[in-house]
Amino acid sequence: MSIIEVNKLNLFYGNFQALKEITLRIEKQKITALIGPSGCGKSTFLRTLNRMNDLIDDVRISGSVKISGNDIYGSDVDLLALRKKVGMVFQRPNPFPLSIYDNVVYGLRVHGILDKKIMEQKLQWSLESVHLWDEVKDKLDQNALTLSGEQQQRLCIARLAVVEPEVLLMDEPCSALDPMSTAKIEDLMYELKKQYTIIIVTHNMQQAARVSEYTGYFLLGELVEFGETNQIFTSPKDSRTEDYLTGRFG
Amino acid sequence: MTTLERNEKLIQLALLMIALSAISILAIITLFIFKEGMPIMFKYGVNKFLFGLDWYPTEQSFGLLPMIIGSLAVTAGSLIIGIPFGLACAIFLTEFSSLRLRQIIKPIIELLAGIPSVVYGFMGVIILVPFIREHLGGSGLSVLAASIILGIMILPTIISISIDSLQAVPRSYREGSIALGATKWQTTKMVTLPSAKSGIIASIILGMGRAIGETMAVIMIAGNAVSIPHSVLDPVRTLTSNIALEMGYASGEHRQALFATGVILFIIIMILNTIANATAAKQRTK
Ligand SMILES: Nc1ncnc2c1ncn2[C@@H]1O[C@H](COP(=O)(O)OP(=O)(O)OP(=O)(O)O)[C@@H](O)[C@H]1O
Ligand SMILES: [Mg+2]
């Protein structure tokens, strides 16, 4: 069953067209990987799904993006609810320079849940779900920036988990991490997929092959090919995809 | 040693000399003030200076308490006015206005810092003092008038340094917050402001320094009466005004007592700075 349907999506930064006629469907509770050379529009595409591009001046968008059947670019969209439902993990871990506790419960506070008991329950539950609880339970009031990069990235995922999103957008979540930490985050993604639909942008082919069920290949703003990861990696239909995968390009 | 290394050494040496001479000039000024001011304080008792109510410097009566309270009152008043307006303005310009507007307004605000204080004082005398006299009572020359003018004078400092520190907050913090479904204001209040806190506190410290040290504008609008104010409409004299008003004709012990005024001002500023820096440091480690 698909949760996200994108239809003929075009995006312009001023006069520059960064996305061209993107059409695809994202399956629920699966991991979809987006690959492609630098500057081809992967991040831009990801940011259209939670409307983070709204923060940039001079962006024009046409086409439609439906999430659970609702057009998120419609006139009556509740942006705050959309972003709660579609969470985002950034390339560089970006915990707030606040305590670990304040970071995790941030989403609750923002959405008006101030009950101490609920906060503490959710805190433990979300930190456990990213396997960080045991490491930080004794130093919850410590500044989150004192954690290691990988712990910070886990914390950012926990910070999302408390608001119970349905979709997780991950923009190169491991590119600032070493291979060991990357493996840990990948393991985490496997577990998370039971609960969330995950879309991950990655430059790492092996990672895409390892973790994802579906893969999309972007080139110069176009979605060249989209399909099951197995099929894309073993028998790509488009010669440009093949060139990229075999390293003859990019 | 190559020529390059020798040049490097020479440059280092030159910089060291310049730094040392700048520091020693400051040290000499400080020493001079203390040397001129301390003896008379010990002769008549430090308590008399700090807590005495009467200032008749030609009759050996050197009570500075009214002026100490005057300085603290107008400084506090200026902060009460300057901090909320300055912060609101900085927040609006960095978080809620367009880049274009900010690029136009920020240089204008910085220009305001360059207006001579006598001009601010003049505006106070012409507009503010009569307004207070007619609508609130009293002579108009008052703590209130001085606080408002000083509050306006410290705005450029507070605004431009706060803007700089808000802009230094990484974009990724704001994005992280917005991506969680927070509103702009929630993001500002819960993430951006706490992240910029030490810079904002620094802007307030600098503003406070400017307010407590300001002389000309205060002389023109504070009334300069040597008495403890009972309301914001009463006139006051500040420590700086006291020195400036009497330095011209003071001699002997009177002159020394004005240096003592300077010593006390110096110490008050040191104490306020230390408190402010300590709070800033505490906030940072949090
Ligand atoms: N705010 C912006 N204003 C103008 N152009 C932009 C903006 N952001 C991105 N672009 C352009 O849009 C294109 C796509 O950028 P995007 O960041 O989506 O690429 P990407 O596939 O994520 O690349 P990378 O792998 O390097 O992260 C690039 O050519 C980039 O220069
Ligand atoms: Mg990118």
Side-chain angles (χ1 to χ4, degrees):
Chain A
M1 203 181 71
S2 59
I3 180 168
I4 301 177
E5 292 175 34
V6 180
N7 219 331
K8 297 213 164 92
L9 181 72
N10 290 293
L11 184 143
F12 295 84
Y13 290 116
N15 290 324
F16 173 74
Q17 184 164 12
L19 293 178
K20 296 171 189 159
E21 298 282 309
I22 307 290
T23 299
L24 57 73
R25 285 157 176 263
I26 304 279
E27 293 299 307
K28 198 167 183 169
Q29 289 170 352
K30 294 277 167 11
I31 300 182
T32 302
L34 304 179
I35 57 172
S38 224
C40 64
K42 306 178 298 289
S43 301
T44 303
F45 175 71
L46 211 59
R47 294 163 61 96
T48 57
L49 301 180
N50 62 348
R51 290 192 56 175
M52 285 299 279
N53 286 322
D54 289 19
L55 301 186
I56 302 168
D57 296 334
D58 213 14
V59 171
R60 270 182 307 125
I61 291 171
S62 69
S64 84
V65 178
K66 284 189 181 159
I67 298 185
S68 314
N70 303 316
D71 186 353
I72 63 166
Y73 286 92
S75 53
D76 56 345
V77 176
D78 179 350
L79 266 187
L80 305 183
L82 168 70
R83 290 182 183 141
K84 183 165 178 271
K85 185 169 162 177
V86 184
M88 185 162 219
V89 180
F90 295 80
Q91 180 167 1
R92 303 207 129 268
N94 61 344
F96 306 128
L98 309 170
S99 70
I100 294 172
Y101 180 94
D102 285 334
N103 263 279
V104 180
V105 302
Y106 186 81
L108 296 175
R109 290 200 170 124
V110 157
H111 293 288
I113 299 165
L114 301 172
D115 187 299
K116 273 259 148 55
K117 255 221 182 97
I118 299 180
M119 279 194 188
E120 264 154 35
Q121 274 168 11
K122 291 250 188 176
L123 175 85
Q124 180 166 358
W125 166 79
S126 67
L127 285 172
E128 274 171 353
S129 76
V130 298
H131 307 295
L132 199 57
W133 176 250
D134 289 329
E135 289 160 60
V136 302
K137 65 170 185 261
D138 299 322
K139 48 178 185 182
L140 290 170
D141 53 359
Q142 197 170 314
N143 193 314
L145 300 182
T146 59
L147 297 173
S148 75
E150 178 235 336
Q151 288 174 321
Q152 290 186 10
Q153 199 59 299
R154 282 170 188 272
L155 183 71
C156 290
I157 299 174
R159 184 173 73 180
L160 282 179
V162 297
V163 301
E164 296 174 10
E166 290 172 35
V167 181
L168 286 188
L169 308 175
M170 302 182 142
D171 194 349
E172 304 185 43
C174 303
S175 65
L177 305 179
D178 63 47
M180 278 285 283
S181 315
T182 302
K184 284 192 190 168
I185 298 281
E186 283 180 14
D187 287 344
L188 180 60
M189 285 167 57
Y190 270 126
E191 290 174 38
L192 293 176
K193 138 184 126 161
K194 289 174 206 134
Q195 245 173 316
Y196 310 103
T197 305
I198 298 178
I199 307 174
I200 176 177
V201 168
T202 178
H203 268 278
N204 181 331
M205 289 313 123
Q206 287 87 2
Q207 183 172 53
R210 267 195 311 264
V211 302
S212 71
E213 276 110 339
Y214 294 90
T215 297
Y217 172 55
F218 278 80
L219 182 63
L220 298 172
E222 274 179 77
L223 181 63
V224 172
E225 188 161 357
F226 186 83
E228 289 188 15
T229 302
N230 256 336
Q231 174 254 312
I232 299 254
F233 276 84
T234 52
S235 52
K237 293 199 183 93
D238 197 298
S239 61
R240 288 172 292 176
T241 317
E242 191 171 354
D243 288 350
Y244 183 64
L245 291 174
T246 52
R248 259 174 281 167
F249 175 89
Chain B
M1 215 186 324
T2 67
T3 356
L4 213 63
E5 279 171 330
R6 201 165 45 238
N7 281 349
E8 187 84 9
K9 279 261 146 53
L10 274 174
I11 291 169
Q12 270 183 21
L13 199 69
L15 287 174
L16 180 72
M17 300 295 287
I18 294 168
L20 279 182
S21 51
I23 293 169
S24 51
I25 289 170
L26 290 176
I28 289 168
I29 292 174
T30 311
L31 277 177
F32 180 74
I33 296 171
F34 274 77
K35 187 186 134 280
E36 294 290 306
M38 294 305 279
I40 190 167
M41 284 174 81
F42 288 123
K43 183 172 170 197
Y44 291 96
V46 176
N47 275 347
K48 285 239 171 67
F49 276 83
L50 286 180
F51 302 111
L53 295 174
D54 299 314
W55 173 258
Y56 299 113
T58 46
E59 298 161 28
Q60 278 104 45
S61 171
F62 303 113
L64 286 172
L65 188 63
M67 279 78 105
I68 294 173
I69 290 176
S71 276
L72 292 178
V74 297
T75 304
S78 71
L79 290 178
I80 288 170
I81 289 160
I83 293 173
F85 280 95
L87 274 189
C89 198
I91 290 170
F92 171 75
L93 286 175
T94 42
E95 308 296 320
F96 295 92
S97 82
S98 66
L99 181 67
R100 176 94 44 80
L101 189 64
R102 177 162 72 242
Q103 281 170 343
I104 297 171
I105 293 188
K106 194 171 178 240
I108 296 177
I109 288 170
E110 278 160 3
L111 203 67
L112 289 181
I115 296 178
S117 57
V118 65
V119 175
Y120 283 101
F122 190 57
M123 302 282 277
V125 172
I126 299 288
I127 300 165
L128 188 60
V129 168
F131 183 88
I132 292 174
R133 183 166 57 228
E134 274 155 38
H135 296 273
L136 300 170
S139 69
L141 298 163
S142 58
V143 176
L144 181 64
S147 298
I148 291 173
I149 292 295
L150 285 177
I152 293 170
M153 289 177 71
I154 65 176
L155 276 180
T157 313
I158 293 184
I159 293 172
S160 72
I161 296 175
S162 294
I163 285 181
D164 291 342
S165 60
L166 284 168
Q167 281 185 318
V169 174
R171 218 181 122 85
S172 66
Y173 292 171
R174 295 185 181 87
E175 288 196 332
S177 170
I178 296 284
L180 277 165
T183 62
K184 259 188 174 179
W185 173 239
Q186 284 174 327
T187 303
T188 305
K189 189 178 63 171
M190 294 164 72
V191 177
T192 317
L193 280 178
S195 311
K197 198 151 49 184
S198 56
I200 291 173
I201 292 175
S203 81
I204 294 171
I205 295 174
L206 286 172
M208 183 175 74
R210 173 142 201 225
I212 201 167
E214 176 51 43
T215 314
M216 195 61 209
V218 178
I219 289 179
M220 293 168 78
I221 53 180
N224 305 323
V226 185
S227 62
I228 293 177
H230 295 287
S231 92
V232 291
L233 297 176
D234 287 346
V236 281
R237 180 184 290 198
T238 64
L239 291 164
T240 52
S241 309
N242 195 41
I243 299 173
L245 286 167
E246 301 188 0
M247 208 41 146
Y249 60 86
S251 61
E253 287 195 332
H254 184 184
R255 204 181 94 99
Q256 289 173 10
L258 294 183
F259 272 104
T261 310
V263 170
I264 288 171
L265 185 65
F266 190 95
I267 291 170
I268 289 178
I269 291 174
M270 295 264 285
I271 291 172
L272 289 178
N273 271 354
T274 314
I275 293 173
N277 280 325
T279 25
K282 206 163 139 200
Q283 300 289 7
R284 259 197 299 278
T285 54
K286 243 191 192 165

